[in-house]
């Protein structure tokens, strides 16, 4: 349910994103952006790409070989580490001393005999034999967990290493696998697979004490019954190594959590939030009658933004000064964005990479990323479900 008409900037950013990711297919990038692969291919050809990866800048052979060698070494080290952990887990997983002692007896019975080992370790031989008889069932369970870990790892890697147990569970269930979220948590913990966690945020809200007061029309009720009726927005800081930072302004639909509009710039002037509002208006066709909620940052209290809202038919709403909970939905979006793009890094290497990562994540967020507030479906999928339900109810009436 993406856009029917894509602006030139979107096409240019899509091509730039594809070219910035060697080894990634056109289909993968197109899926992230919510466009048809053939459409993206046509944009690449129009930009002078010619063929799938012919225009990719070639790295020096020596540098490429060194990089490949480093990757091979890293993979070997990871495989070795997993093998060490797998073997150690047989004895010490869960710190169950009794199980560890039974396993020790099984591994050394040919050398010392079961009776002698059980006597020395203070174990019951009947208990050991019952444990040994259950071996096939344990082995079957372990094999099943290994297969599940493989599927979990694939889902985790496809999410750029961002999904935790709830979203991984939802993704697995969408493929028809019947699995309990507690089991997914256990297998992820045993395999060392973890999602990303929150980072401290940079303060970007600078209130203007002299600005006209605007009522809070949301009241911490970050919900809406239909799309295009209530929005929230905010500005977040994008650190760039050794350079001027960038700033991202957002307009988020409270019904579907869709990122309806966004803008990125190297300043925090009112133009930034106006551009984001304009982008949302372009996405929706019209925002007339909608409410937009923000904090008391000078950009949102400016006359220029007030005029833009009035022209778009949007009613403004503002949270209390200095109270982040009054704009929690926008704060949560910013936290997820920074967590899943930076992935623990302190900054982006370049402004261009920050823009491309933002472009990719923003479109992936709408088209593919599972949202916990929506029952672990993407915003566009949720809107499509609402539209289908509404049509069905109308026909039934």
């Amino acid at each position: 349910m993406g856009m029917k008409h894509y602006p030139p900037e979107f096409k240019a950013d899509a091509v730039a994103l594809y070219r910035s990711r060697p080894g990634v297919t056109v289909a993968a990038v197109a899926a992230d952006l919510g466009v048809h692969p053939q459409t993206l291919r046509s944009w690449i050809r129009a930009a002078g790409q010619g063929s799938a990866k012919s225009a990719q800048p070639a790295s020096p052979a020596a540098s490429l070989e060194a990089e490949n060698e480093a990757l091979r070494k890293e993979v070997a080290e990871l495989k070795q580490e997993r093998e060490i952990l797998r073997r150690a887990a047989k004895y010490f997983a869960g710190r169950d001393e009794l199980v560890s002692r039974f396993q020790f007896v099984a591994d050394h019975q040919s050398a010392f005999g079961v009776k002698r080992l059980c006597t020395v370790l203070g174990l019951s031989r009947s208990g050991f034999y019952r444990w040994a008889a259950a071996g096939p069932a344990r082995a079957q369970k372990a094999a099943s967990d290994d297969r599940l870990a493989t599927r979990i790892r694939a889902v985790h890697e496809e999410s750029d290493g961002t999904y935790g147990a709830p979203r991984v569970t939802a993704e697995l269930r969408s493929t028809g696998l019947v699995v309990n979220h507690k089991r997914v948590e256990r297998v992820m913990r045993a395999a060392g697979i973890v999602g990303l966690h929150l980072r401290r945020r940079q303060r970007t809200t600078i209130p203007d004490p002299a600005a006209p007061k605007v009522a809070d029309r949301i009241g911490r009720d970050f919900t809406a019954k239909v799309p295009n009726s209530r929005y929230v927005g905010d500005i977040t800081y994008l650190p760039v190594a050794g350079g001027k930072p960038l700033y991202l302004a957002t307009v988020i639909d409270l019904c579907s959590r869709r990122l309806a509009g966004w803008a990125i710039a190297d300043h925090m002037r009112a133009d930034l939030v106006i551009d984001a509002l304009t982008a949302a208006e372009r996405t929706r066709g019209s925002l007339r009658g909608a409410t937009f909620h923000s904090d008391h940052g000078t950009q949102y209290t400016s006359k220029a933004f007030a005029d833009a809202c009035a022209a778009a038919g949007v009613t403004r709403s503002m949270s209390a000064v200095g109270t982040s909970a009054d704009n929690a939905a926008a704060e949560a979006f910013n936290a997820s964005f920074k967590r899943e793009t930076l992935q623990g890094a302190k900054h982006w290497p370049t402004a261009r990479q920050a823009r491309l990562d933002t472009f990719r994540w923003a479109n992936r967020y709408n088209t593919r990323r599972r949202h916990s507030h929506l029952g672990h479906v993407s915003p566009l999928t949720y809107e499509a479900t609402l539209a289908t339900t509404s049509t069905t109810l109308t026909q039934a009436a």
Side-chain angles (χ1 to χ4, degrees):
M1 198 170 130
M3 295 181 288
K4 293 183 179 179
H5 303 288
Y6 300 88
E9 295 81 2
F10 185 97
K11 298 178 182 178
D13 284 344
V15 173
L17 176 63
Y18 169 73
R19 291 178 175 175
S20 72
R21 305 182 69 211
V24 176
T25 65
V26 171
V29 175
D32 282 346
L33 302 181
V35 302
H36 194 279
Q38 190 57 44
T39 300
L40 179 56
R41 289 192 185 94
S42 68
W43 295 345
I44 295 170
R45 285 196 297 270
Q49 179 69 7
S51 60
K53 287 289 184 182
S54 61
Q56 285 293 331
S59 301
S63 175
L64 181 60
E65 180 57 30
E67 182 178 351
N68 287 339
E69 181 60 27
L71 289 174
R72 285 193 292 269
K73 182 179 179 180
E74 182 179 357
V75 170
E77 290 175 349
L78 289 174
K79 287 182 177 179
Q80 184 182 58
E81 180 179 335
R82 286 197 299 269
E83 178 64 12
I84 292 172
L85 291 174
R86 185 184 69 82
R87 294 189 179 190
K90 292 181 179 180
Y91 284 99
F92 308 114
R95 298 185 182 275
D96 188 337
E97 295 183 1
L98 182 63
V99 171
S100 297
R101 283 179 284 171
F102 280 156
Q103 186 62 60
F104 185 88
V105 171
D107 290 345
H108 297 83
Q109 60 180 317
S110 60
F112 302 102
V114 172
K115 180 178 180 180
R116 179 61 178 164
L117 287 168
C118 287
T119 299
V120 172
L121 296 175
L123 299 176
S124 161
R125 277 189 289 167
S126 60
F128 166 75
Y129 286 124
R130 285 195 299 271
W131 175 86
R138 286 197 306 275
Q140 184 177 8
K141 181 177 182 295
S144 177
D145 283 351
D146 286 343
R147 291 193 295 271
L148 179 60
T150 299
R151 297 187 65 171
I152 289 173
R153 190 171 288 107
V155 170
H156 187 256
E157 291 175 355
E158 198 278 335
S159 74
D160 292 340
T162 62
Y163 279 8
R167 288 188 175 89
V168 169
T169 303
E171 190 70 30
L172 292 172
R173 286 174 177 172
S174 73
T175 65
L177 180 66
V178 179
V179 63
N180 184 282
H181 74 278
K182 292 183 178 180
R183 185 187 177 201
V184 172
E185 288 177 356
R186 175 177 59 78
V187 173
M188 289 182 67
R189 185 167 54 251
I193 304 172
V194 295
L196 294 177
H197 303 286
L198 294 176
R199 295 171 51 87
R200 291 183 62 184
R201 68 184 296 271
Q202 181 79 16
R203 183 171 182 260
T204 54
T205 302
I206 304 174
D208 180 3
K213 301 300 180 183
V214 176
D216 183 352
R217 304 175 188 279
I218 297 295
R220 298 190 183 183
D221 177 15
F222 300 108
T223 61
K225 293 182 179 179
V226 295
N228 199 25
S229 59
R230 303 174 86 187
Y231 292 90
V232 294
D234 196 11
I235 299 174
T236 192
Y237 165 86
L238 311 184
V240 177
K244 189 175 183 180
L246 298 176
Y247 300 92
L248 172 68
T250 56
V251 179
I252 305 163
D253 192 306
L254 284 178
C255 175
S256 65
R257 292 304 196 267
R258 181 177 183 176
L259 181 59
W262 59 277
I264 190 170
D266 60 359
H267 62 79
M268 287 200 299
R269 297 190 295 272
D271 291 346
L272 175 63
V273 294
I274 292 173
D275 287 345
L277 185 72
T278 301
E281 189 174 21
R282 185 167 56 245
T283 297
R284 291 304 194 188
S286 174
L287 298 177
R288 190 160 300 280
T291 297
F292 177 80
H293 183 79
S294 68
D295 58 30
H296 276 264
T298 55
Q299 304 83 3
Y300 293 112
T301 58
S302 67
K303 183 178 184 303
F305 184 70
D307 291 344
C309 286
V314 172
T315 300
R316 290 190 298 159
S317 169
M318 287 192 179
S319 58
V321 176
T323 307
S324 61
D326 288 348
N327 201 22
E331 298 276 355
F333 175 90
N334 290 341
S336 295
F337 163 72
K338 299 283 276 293
R339 181 176 69 247
E340 296 181 10
T341 50
L342 283 173
Q343 298 199 12
K346 294 182 178 179
H347 46 65
W348 277 273
T350 64
R352 180 178 182 273
Q353 192 60 51
R355 289 178 181 274
L356 286 175
D357 284 353
T358 301
F359 174 73
R360 176 175 183 257
W361 192 89
N363 285 280
R364 182 186 180 91
Y365 169 86
N366 281 334
T367 60
R368 302 182 67 183
R369 183 183 181 278
R370 295 181 179 275
H371 201 298
S372 57
H373 178 77
L374 308 176
H376 292 298
V377 299
S378 71
L380 287 182
T381 299
Y382 185 77
E383 287 192 0
T385 301
L386 287 180
T388 301
T389 302
S390 177
T391 301
T392 301
L393 291 175
T394 301
Q395 292 175 345

